[in-house]
Structures are given as C-alpha cells and as structure tokens.
Amino acid sequence: MEQLRRLLPGVAEVRKTLPFGLSALDSYLPDGGLACGALHEIVPEPRSIPATFGFIAAILARITFSTSSPREEGLYAGGNARGPLFLVLPTYGFREYGRLHGHGLRALGLDPAQLILVETSHRKETLWAIEEALHSGAPAAVAGVIDKLDLRTSQRLHLAATDCGLPLLLLRPAQNLEASAAATRWRVGTAEAARDRFGLITRPRWHLKLERCRNGRPGEWVVEYDHVAHRFSLAATLADPARTRGASESHEELLARTYCA
Amino acid sequence: MAGTGGPRIAALNEAAEAAGLASGEPLADARAKAGFLQVRAVDMAADDAALRRLTLWATRYTPTASPWDEENGADGFFLEVEGSAHLFGGEQSLIADLSTRLKKNFGLPVRLAVAATPGAAWALARFNAEPLCILPSSQEAAALAPLPVEALRLTPDICATLRRLGFKTVGALLDKPRAPFAARFSAKLLRRLDQALGRVDEPLVPVVPPPVYHSLRYLIEPIFTQQAIVAYARRLMGMLVHVLTRDDVGVRRLRLSLYNVDGTVETINIALTLPTRSVDHVARLIDLKLEALAAVCEAGFGFETIGLAITQTEPMPAQQMEITSAFAEEDKSEYCAVLIDKLRQRLGPQSVRRFEPVASHLPERAEMLKPATAEARAWPEPEQTTRPLLLLPQAEPAEVTALVPDGPPRRFSWRGETHEITGAEGPERIASEWWRHPLPFPLQAEEGQVGAPARDYYLVENSDGQRFWLYREGIYGRETAQVRWFVHGLFA
C-alpha cells in the first residue's frame, strides 16, 4: 500500500524529521533533525523573547517551504499542501512585547498567509486549543506559548504530537522549568547580527543552546538565518571581524560604520 | 431616476407633495422650488426584494400571490382570493383586514381593488376614486369606461399616441372596431383590453417561498442532560440531511430551540465556516456551545420539545473523493474549517484570525487581523524594507542622545534601561498619510497644523544583540524644533 501511494502523483509524503540543514546542529540531534511528531520546548533567555519568536518563525518557515521533491513543488506551487500553521497565543502576559507583525514575519521568510492565529485567555484554553489542533489533521505544525506545564500535561501533549506526526513547538517563558517529556529543550539568546561591509545588517543571529535532547547530546552555537533561502548557517564566531573589533573601537570608527541613507 | 434633462424624482413623501413637487419632475426644478431636499438614489434591487418579501407575507391570505414586475409598475401585487375569501368572512372583511394590517404593521397606505380579472383590479386599484373597492363580476366594462387609457397597462408611447388620436378614456376604446387598432398598434393593446374585460385569461406567476429546513420533535418525557440534548439534536440533523442533499445545499447557520416545560425557549445559534452536511460536526459544535452556556442556561423542569431550524444555507455540490483521500488538498481545507469552527465555538468568534495586508505605509496600519476562513489570500510581493517581528501597539517614548538632532541615535533609554547602540541603519522616512488628515494650503508648518509629522525610522542594535526599531518624529527644522524619539518595534 505504501509503495502504491508513493507511485501516485500528488501525494504528500509524511515527514519524519525536520533537519536544520546545518550538520553542526543536526549531528547532535537524533534522526538528524527536529523530530516531527514530538514536543519541543524553546525557552528564552532574559530579554530574548523577540529572538525566540524569531527562531520559532524561522523553523515554521522551513516547514512551509521545504518540499521533498521538485515535482511536488511544481504541483503545489500556489499553496501549502500540508495545511496552515497554527499559532496559539495567549492574550495575557505578553502586552509588554506588543503583537506579532505580519510584515515582520514576512521579513523572516514566513508567509503570513499560511499562519492562523488562535488567541486564548486562559491556560486551560491554550492547552485545549493545542490538543484540538493536533488531533484535527488540518495543520502542518502547531506552535504555542505556555508558561506552566507539569510533567503529566507535557506527556499528554507529546503523545498527541506523536499520534498525528506533527511537530509541536512550545515557547516557555518561565524561568524555573520543571522536568518535562519534551524531546528537545532549546534556550535562545540574542547575538549580534551579521553585517556586510557597509555596516548594514544582512542576517539575524541567535545564540542557541540545546539543553536537553533525548537520545542526543547538548550543544551550544551561534546560528545565522537567511530568510531568502530559509537556511541556517553557523556564524563564524572566531573569524568575524565585527566581534573582534567591538572591544577596541573608537568613536570615529563607530560613526563611520553607521550608515545614513 | 435618470431621464432626459438629468435625474428625475421617482418617489416622494407627503411633505414633498405638500410643497408642490410631483413625481417625474427633474430634480433641479424640484430643488429650485423647495429649499432643502433629502435625496437618495433609487435602488431597484432592494425595492424588488422588499416587494417580494411583502408578497411572501401576503401569502397568509392565499397561496397564489404574485408581485408586479416592471411592466406593471413594480409597486404592488396580485392576490387570487377566489378560493380563500370565505375563510376570512367574505371579500369585504378580507380587504379591510389586509388594509389595516398593511397600515398598522408596515406603515404603508394602500389602494385595494377586488375584481374578476387581474387587469380590472389593477386599473381600479390605480385609478379609482376610493382606496378600497369591490367590483361585482361582469361589470368590468362599466367600471373601466371612465378610467384613463393608462389603466390598461400600456407603454407610455402607446398611451401618448392614443391621446393624440383623441382616445382619452378606456370607454372610448370599448365599442370601436378592432381591426384598425390591430393594424396601427401592436397586438398588446387589444390583448390588454381583452384581459381587462375577461375575454382572455391572464395567468399569474405566484411567488415561491424559499425552502425551509426545519425539524421538530416532541418528547414524551422532558430531558435535562446535555448528552440527551446532543443526542436528539443529532437525530434532528439526520432527518434534515436527505433534504439538504436533494437540494445540493449545506448548512451555514442553524438554530437549536429548546422549549422548556414552563413555557420559555432557549435558542442556540451556531455559525459555520464552510457549508456542511455532516451530522457529527454539527453535533460536536452544539456540544461545545452547550458547555460554554452551561452556567447560563437553566434546564428547570426540563425540555419537552426540541426544534432544529437551518437559517442559512449555501450551495454545496457533491465532490468526488480521491483515492488518496487522506492526503488530498480539498480534505485539508475541510479539516481546517472543522477545526476553526470548533475553536471558535469555545474561544469566541474573534479568537481565530489571519493576517491580512492593508495598503498603507504606516506600519501600525499596514495589516489587520481578520477572522480566518479555510482559504487564505496571498500577500503581495514584499518590498525591500525591513520590518520588526513584534510591533508595539503604541509607540513608547524613549530618551535618545544623538550627535546631531537629525542624525542617528547613539544611546537610548527605554523602560528604565539604557542601551548603547553599536550600529544604526536608516533613516527610513515614512510620511503621514496626507489624504487622511487635511493640511492647510500652502503646506507649511503652522500653529495647530493638522496632520501627523513624518517619521524617520532606524534599526538599531545594542551590544547584547537586541535589535530595536526607533523613530524620530518630525523633520527637524521643517516640521518641528523639538525632536522626539519613540520605540516602535522589536526585531528578532
């Protein structure tokens, strides 16, 4: 039956993992990438909530834009055959950071037309919405924001994600995290962006730390994200002239680097 | 209403008539006669729909009710009351009842006439002296004789020709030989005459009421529990499915009515994203809605009757299933609609939304969130400008030090923290939308200038790698002498 399905045109294959496309990262993860069908927790460092949202948006953009075969890309050029992306955001606790901006998501390579925002006002509603979205078979991926998650609830969410084979990304803004059943736990911090020779920002950079990984090893990187090619690359931390220059910069050099249109 | 010489009056109210205006008069003349006029354009489609609704209401008197079309004037309807007059106590009491109801419920003054033929009834309703009139049969010729030729439902040019030839009333036409009329005018004149006098039949096209999908169930014993309500609602929906399939429609809105033993009615309204005929989906939505209403809705002594009425339908043609239906795209959008419905039922109608772009330069106006449907509209191609991931709903003021007032920032403090800027990009100038705020002429900064000042946006990064979007308000030297800075967004 599986062989027959593969022969028929237009059948979307069920994806097992989502590789980062960066061997330095993928080699640390089991299956060579983020497991689809598992719960992944992403924790922001202090003052890094925008960077964490950006990392999640980059992963979602990779899900939308990666196709397994060129023929399939041609058939579904207009839309996403795998369904929209559901983002469950609570309306409480995030006032100080403002709202997600659709054009900003676009600037990170995520098409806002593929995103459906679900707003909840209660933690129970957030959990319910995430489970309903996972069980419905409609989305391509589900992301949410939950602060408190005990072990049993995280196990339930992980099982729900495994049942339908979708990746579940949870942003956990809490500082003291309890044990959870997540397959991976990431910590995201800010990092200075890559600049070209005029001093303009070309790509954002984030400081990633893989804290917990089931059947994998923890690691720490500074990654750079290209929103046009939806690709992660490793920032050349040692050879980057901008970082080495920063310590002993003079005032005039700083002015010269500032670009005025 | 347009005609030669500009717009003309199509209809007027009593005050306008008292002021001496007449229907068909050019609007310019009317404006000269009366001082101030409230004018509205004629909306033929809305008038037709209103007439149709009124005719549907009038089917309480007879099943055959036919609204007048354009030819007949489009401001009335025919009712065939031969078979139903006795139910209302005779024709006299029927038209008395009809005219009082129309006046009381709708506020419409009416002119009614009952006659043996539709043509005669039309003529008498229009041109008779009294507003209500009943004509005994076989007296049409005598009754129509004194009426003008317009009473025969002829086109204006035929009537003008008849008047020129000297035929001013219908009576003048009645006893003349028919052959010259047939030769000079179209057959319509003679046909209308015959219809009015009853020599030729005129069939009426009755209005067809829209189909009603409604099922009701009387219960032997009252029910109290939510499970029982959902089970009965499932059965009621099942009864309606074959009628919906026959008509190729699906449910968009439905109403579940629960009739309590003590006489009160609880209604539950459900709206769906995509039309559906699925009993499971509707039952699940009703279940979710009842859960949300559990605190409000009181069962009391129980519900003895349950009714399910489908208030809005949409065409839903049959779809061909694919052999690989588990992965088909159409199914995905159906699953998506089902999920959106469930989420909306529990979280509220405004809780599931998509981004939609708005054509505006101002970042806070460049997009809005609209309730999600299963299909998404594509976004236009992006421009080469950078936009932040998170946008603050209100730009917050920041203390900024810059080397020159119209130069890039060097250091800023916001929300109690100071940030040293290691790199600033910009400025990107976004001016206010002048078409929304009128500026005085000539365009110069004056006291009390209306219109928001332009903004110069900078993308700044601090030593930690946090990236912000700042703007300076007002073009220094031209719009303002005091520079003010704001933080508008945060970059990833």
Side-chain angles (χ1 to χ4, degrees):
Chain A
M1 216 32 214
E2 276 302 315
Q3 276 178 333
L4 266 180
R5 282 230 172 88
R6 248 176 275 134
L7 287 176
L8 284 169
V11 174
E13 289 160 27
V14 177
R15 208 212 309 260
K16 294 280 165 43
T17 69
L18 183 63
F20 278 99
L22 192 59
S23 58
L25 227 60
D26 291 333
S27 56
Y28 281 59
L29 295 163
D31 313 320
L34 272 185
C36 288
L39 167 65
H40 304 280
E41 289 182 340
I42 302 169
V43 185
E45 296 264 345
R47 299 198 198 97
S48 305
I49 294 239
T52 321
F53 268 117
F55 180 56
I56 294 182
I59 298 179
L60 292 177
R62 277 186 67 82
I63 294 178
T64 325
F65 279 93
S66 68
T67 52
S68 43
S69 72
R71 189 176 61 175
E72 200 181 302
E73 197 173 331
L75 280 174
Y76 294 107
N80 187 11
R82 296 193 188 89
L85 304 163
F86 275 79
L87 184 56
V88 182
L89 285 180
T91 51
Y92 51 89
F94 275 95
R95 297 276 144 143
E96 50 184 285
Y97 293 103
R99 299 200 73 119
L100 278 180
H101 190 53
H103 293 279
L105 288 168
R106 211 19 167 359
L108 281 172
L110 178 60
D111 187 7
Q114 302 292 334
L115 197 64
I116 293 187
L117 276 183
V118 181
E119 285 170 348
T120 58
S121 52
H122 201 63
R123 193 176 141 265
K124 250 195 251 177
E125 286 181 3
T126 316
L127 289 170
W128 176 82
I130 291 178
E131 279 201 61
E132 278 291 330
L134 285 172
H135 286 306
S136 72
V142 180
V145 179
I146 297 190
D147 48 357
K148 280 202 283 273
L149 198 64
D150 58 343
L151 182 61
R152 186 171 302 181
T153 323
S154 71
Q155 274 171 348
R156 211 172 78 200
L157 290 178
H158 181 72
L159 276 176
T162 317
D163 277 341
C164 23
L166 295 177
L168 174 59
L169 307 166
L170 284 188
L171 205 162
R172 309 282 319 277
Q175 283 311 110
N176 306 323
L177 289 174
E178 339 44 27
S180 89
T184 58
R185 182 183 286 174
W186 301 81
R187 215 173 257 275
V188 179
T190 52
E192 288 200 15
R195 289 177 183 271
D196 61 8
R197 62 179 200 270
F198 297 112
L200 291 179
I201 290 182
T202 48
R203 298 183 189 142
R205 282 193 186 152
W206 303 304
H207 185 102
L208 279 187
K209 208 192 301 185
L210 181 53
E211 274 189 352
R212 278 191 53 205
C213 178
R214 215 184 280 167
N215 303 331
R217 351 168 230 151
E220 192 170 336
W221 310 268
V222 176
V223 293
E224 183 178 293
Y225 178 64
D226 180 9
H227 73 274
V228 174
H230 308 286
R231 226 182 19 210
F232 283 98
S233 50
L234 208 53
T237 54
L238 295 174
D240 186 24
R243 283 179 80 89
T244 51
R245 201 198 299 163
S248 60
E249 199 167 21
S250 71
H251 173 73
E252 283 77 19
E253 277 181 67
L254 177 59
L255 257 190
R257 256 201 329 133
T258 311
Y259 171 74
C260 289
Chain B
M1 189 170 73
T4 53
R8 287 174 182 269
I9 298 181
L12 21 88
N13 69 352
E14 288 162 2
E17 276 186 24
L21 307 178
S23 170
E25 198 174 344
L27 189 60
D29 291 356
R31 280 218 169 98
K33 275 191 216 170
F36 170 70
L37 291 179
Q38 270 188 354
V39 177
R40 231 169 259 151
V42 164
D43 187 355
M44 308 294 299
D47 289 344
D48 281 341
L51 181 63
R52 189 157 184 278
R53 282 201 299 275
L54 192 63
T55 318
L56 279 174
W57 169 84
T59 51
R60 67 193 302 272
Y61 294 101
T62 168
T64 316
S66 165
W68 292 346
D69 50 4
E70 266 303 312
E71 223 178 56
N72 295 344
D75 50 3
F77 49 88
F78 287 123
L79 290 173
E80 188 169 338
V81 295
E82 183 166 338
S84 53
H86 68 278
L87 295 168
F88 292 88
E91 290 168 2
Q92 189 74 279
S93 47
L94 191 155
I95 60 173
D97 185 54
L98 179 57
S99 80
T100 39
R101 270 183 205 270
L102 281 172
K103 218 172 295 191
K104 209 165 47 138
N105 297 349
F106 298 97
L108 297 171
V110 284
R111 301 179 58 86
L112 290 167
V114 181
T117 66
W122 192 96
L124 287 170
R126 266 249 144 86
F127 294 102
N128 198 17
E130 293 122 41
L132 295 173
C133 145
I134 299 185
L135 188 69
S137 58
S138 74
Q139 287 188 14
E140 291 93 26
L144 288 174
L147 300 179
V149 285
E150 282 83 9
L152 285 178
R153 292 183 285 170
L154 301 165
T155 54
D157 42 335
I158 296 187
C159 292
T161 320
L162 283 171
R163 279 182 183 272
R164 243 197 343 259
L165 291 174
F167 297 103
K168 293 210 177 37
T169 62
V170 176
L173 294 170
L174 282 175
D175 49 355
K176 297 288 183 296
R178 298 162 63 90
F181 286 116
R184 191 162 262 172
F185 300 98
S186 63
K188 195 166 170 190
L189 171 60
L190 288 178
R191 197 182 65 210
R192 285 292 191 212
L193 200 55
D194 289 338
Q195 278 175 346
L197 295 175
R199 294 184 205 137
V200 165
D201 267 335
E202 182 179 358
L204 294 176
V205 178
V207 67
V208 176
V212 170
Y213 305 102
H214 181 67
S215 57
L216 196 66
R217 180 109 184 200
Y218 299 97
L219 305 169
I220 300 175
E221 278 191 4
I223 54 173
F224 303 86
T225 62
Q226 182 176 324
Q227 268 175 319
I229 296 177
V230 173
Y232 277 111
R234 192 183 270 272
R235 262 185 249 178
L236 290 172
M237 182 70 197
M239 282 171 13
L240 292 173
V241 164
H242 75 277
V243 186
L244 295 171
T245 324
R246 180 198 70 193
D247 291 341
D248 268 343
V249 291
V251 180
R252 279 301 299 278
R253 253 182 236 273
L254 54 86
R255 181 185 309 146
L256 183 71
S257 313
L258 304 165
Y259 297 86
N260 215 327
V261 169
D262 57 10
T264 54
V265 182
E266 303 274 352
T267 48
I268 294 170
N269 290 307
I270 309 243
L272 289 126
T273 325
L274 279 184
T276 179
R277 277 181 231 143
S278 147
V279 176
D280 290 325
H281 184 33
V282 169
R284 179 90 182 109
L285 290 180
I286 292 179
D287 195 18
L288 284 170
K289 191 82 182 241
L290 283 174
E291 259 175 36
L293 290 181
V296 178
C297 168
E298 278 288 318
F301 286 108
F303 301 112
E304 57 174 0
T305 309
I306 297 191
L308 186 71
I310 296 178
T311 48
Q312 186 182 347
T313 58
E314 220 179 70
M316 182 176 148
Q319 278 179 344
Q320 189 172 16
M321 298 264 294
E322 299 251 346
I323 194 169
T324 57
S325 62
F327 301 93
E329 198 171 325
E330 297 85 34
D331 272 359
K332 278 284 179 187
S333 68
E334 203 182 299
Y335 294 150
C336 196
V338 164
L339 175 62
I340 293 177
D341 283 337
K342 281 193 214 165
L343 292 172
R344 275 214 182 106
Q345 281 304 320
R346 173 144 173 193
L347 304 173
Q350 291 296 324
S351 56
V352 183
R353 296 192 277 186
R354 275 196 208 259
F355 286 109
E356 294 256 325
V358 173
S360 167
H361 291 303
L362 296 179
E364 62 268 19
R365 278 177 44 87
E367 66 181 17
M368 46 202 260
L369 287 170
K370 283 238 186 93
T373 54
E375 304 300 318
R377 250 185 43 197
W379 277 49
E381 284 302 315
E383 296 151 15
Q384 290 304 317
T385 50
T386 53
R387 287 288 179 268
L389 181 63
L390 294 166
L391 200 68
L392 298 174
Q394 303 270 29
E396 299 182 6
E399 298 290 324
V400 167
T401 49
L403 280 181
V404 284
D406 50 352
R410 284 288 319 281
R411 183 188 303 128
F412 75 100
S413 67
W414 174 60
R415 284 187 184 169
E417 284 177 3
T418 310
H419 305 271
E420 286 285 337
I421 294 179
T422 53
E425 261 179 49
E428 182 190 343
R429 179 161 292 175
I430 297 182
S432 69
E433 295 177 324
W434 54 266
W435 54 93
R436 289 167 44 106
H437 308 285
L439 284 178
F441 177 82
L443 275 74
Q444 271 174 20
E446 282 173 312
E447 237 78 83
Q449 169 193 352
V450 179
R455 307 175 187 165
D456 283 342
Y457 278 90
Y458 289 92
L459 196 179
V460 304
E461 189 181 35
N462 77 352
S463 41
D464 284 332
Q466 292 176 284
R467 295 176 270 275
F468 304 87
W469 211 36
L470 292 171
Y471 72 85
R472 172 182 55 227
E473 193 181 48
I475 306 174
Y476 179 72
R478 203 160 16 121
E479 280 180 2
T480 160
Q482 186 88 359
V483 282
R484 298 200 300 169
W485 287 84
F486 294 87
V487 175
H488 205 176
L490 303 165
F491 278 86

